[in-house]
Amino acid sequence: SSSLQVAPVVVAGVSVPEEYQVLLYEQLVRRLKESSRDAAVIRDGDRSPGAECPSLVVRLKLQTFKKGDAVLRATTGPIGTFVGVTSLGVHLELEDSAGRKLIDKDLKASERGDSDSLDIADAIAKSVAKHLKKIHESLVRQHAATNSGSEI
């Protein structure tokens, strides 16, 4: 059975309220648990048995952040859909236990709703979970193909 360790969210040269970092981490853990039914999702620092040697490690680096303004959006009519938007950019890395990068890409999300922080954290977490699910499925297929010819 595989395990997926979620490293703490790192902030790179951008001012981000701590609540966004915490919310992003929590949403990421929640989304990964939902989508990775056959893999154990391990929080960073978990000391339970089996947590020492995760088969995969997920790392997110927050690179861009722009806090939206719901009041500005509400008071500027149709233009409000384009101004005052909350946006978040992250760099996603997924490494296997040998340190090989399986994913190394930038992801972005923007939200125009009134519950910006929750929505945008969830949008990023959902995108990460989708990318990881694709990689996991291809790894399972590779493993099955590699092992299918070895039985006599």
Side-chain angles (χ1 to χ4, degrees):
S1 151
S2 63
S3 59
L4 182 64
Q5 180 184 2
V6 183
V9 175
V10 174
V11 177
V14 62
S15 178
V16 180
E18 193 175 327
E19 75 235 26
Y20 276 85
Q21 290 173 257
V22 172
L23 197 52
L24 183 56
Y25 188 82
E26 292 305 321
Q27 291 290 69
L28 182 59
V29 168
R30 183 182 69 82
R31 283 282 182 183
L32 292 174
K33 282 184 176 180
E34 284 175 7
S35 69
S36 307
R37 299 199 197 309
D38 54 343
V41 177
I42 303 165
R43 293 172 175 273
D44 189 68
D46 187 340
R47 299 288 172 242
S48 61
E52 310 84 40
C53 302
S55 38
L56 299 169
V57 178
V58 178
R59 290 190 177 82
L60 273 190
K61 186 189 301 179
L62 252 162
Q63 296 178 309
T64 59
F65 173 76
K66 184 175 146 238
K67 176 79 175 108
D69 186 336
V71 174
L72 179 64
R73 281 194 304 278
T75 58
T76 52
I79 295 170
T81 16
F82 303 104
V83 295
V85 173
T86 299
S87 62
L88 199 59
V90 298
H91 185 79
L92 166 65
E93 289 182 0
L94 177 68
E95 283 184 8
D96 66 12
S97 56
R100 286 183 302 249
K101 284 189 184 168
L102 305 175
I103 299 177
D104 189 9
K105 71 183 302 173
D106 292 332
L107 303 173
K108 289 184 165 85
S110 58
E111 283 296 325
R112 294 173 173 85
D114 290 331
S115 56
D116 286 346
S117 56
L118 180 61
D119 291 345
I120 199 159
D122 192 45
I124 288 283
K126 191 175 183 178
S127 180
V128 168
K130 195 170 93 176
H131 281 82
L132 295 185
K133 190 172 184 174
K134 263 192 235 172
I135 286 287
H136 187 258
E137 286 169 357
S138 87
L139 290 173
V140 167
R141 280 194 303 274
Q142 285 175 10
H143 183 73
T146 306
N147 292 336
S148 65
S150 62
E151 293 178 14
I152 301 173

